Amino acid sequence: DMGEPELIGANVPTTLESNFDGDSVVEQTMECNGKTWKVSAVSMGNPHAVIFVDDLENDIAFESDGPALESADVFPARTNVEFVQVMDETHLKMKVWERGAGPTLACGTGACALTIAAIRAGKIPGGNKVRVTLPGGDLFIEWNEETNKVYMTGPADFSFSGKAAVKELP
């Protein structure tokens, strides 16, 4: 249970003009990094800017577009950025630029946010379990619009271990 999404743009937060179902931001046009983007704003406890593209490998300059969008003025708390390709009505593929971290292998809250954004933008139908393919593997997302709850399932794998030397404070 990933909880309930925040769909009111000002609460995500974003200063993009609301354009959908009350105060939501769905595929709102903005300029950034010399390009025009259609951005959907969703919060899952952290802000997400979701952008749909035809081809993840060719339609974005990930290493420059990601950080430019993350720190765009319309996101006063900065934002996570998800670039999304619709593979079919129950399969989305994404790349994420995480706020403060850059490219990451997975983002559970981002997978939830982009599934909601895809349904609200009419890219996929609601009511299905959606497979979201991330660089680190697949997650499965369900949004129950009646209860406004989001559910995520997927694997948890050990990825690394390490040691740190901690200096004692006087």
Side-chain angles (χ1 to χ4, degrees):
D1 182 349
M2 296 295 288
E4 296 184 25
E6 175 60 66
L7 302 173
I8 296 172
N11 295 342
V12 170
T14 182
T15 60
L16 285 169
E17 186 177 338
S18 300
N19 65 343
F20 186 85
D21 193 22
D23 296 326
S24 296
V25 175
V26 176
E27 293 203 301
Q28 181 60 281
T29 302
M30 71 172 280
E31 302 290 325
C32 183
N33 208 30
K35 300 176 183 176
T36 302
W37 304 97
K38 287 186 176 181
V39 178
S40 296
V42 177
S43 175
M44 291 298 304
N46 54 351
H48 295 273
V50 180
I51 298 169
F52 295 95
V53 297
D54 292 328
D55 185 333
L56 275 175
E57 302 309 317
N58 296 307
D59 291 352
I60 59 172
F62 186 68
E63 295 291 333
S64 62
D65 293 335
L69 288 157
E70 172 195 359
S71 59
D73 290 344
V74 297
F75 300 108
R78 296 186 305 143
T79 191
N80 297 291
V81 181
E82 284 81 28
F83 298 101
V84 187
Q85 182 176 343
V86 177
M87 307 307 284
D88 65 42
E89 66 181 24
T90 60
H91 184 197
L92 305 171
K93 186 176 179 183
M94 72 176 274
K95 282 187 176 180
V96 60
W97 185 274
E98 280 206 52
R99 177 176 66 163
T104 58
L105 296 177
C107 180
T109 58
C112 294
L114 68 88
T115 299
I116 293 161
I119 293 167
R120 290 173 61 90
K123 305 285 185 186
I124 61 173
N128 294 317
K129 183 180 277 192
V130 178
R131 175 179 152 206
V132 179
T133 299
L134 304 93
D138 289 347
L139 294 172
F140 296 89
I141 310 299
E142 293 179 80
W143 179 34
N144 183 324
E145 291 181 70
E146 247 179 57
T147 64
N148 198 32
K149 291 280 192 164
V150 184
Y151 301 94
M152 178 177 71
T153 56
D157 295 323
F158 185 79
S159 59
F160 68 91
S161 67
K163 293 181 181 184
V166 179
K167 182 179 175 183
E168 286 189 38
L169 296 175

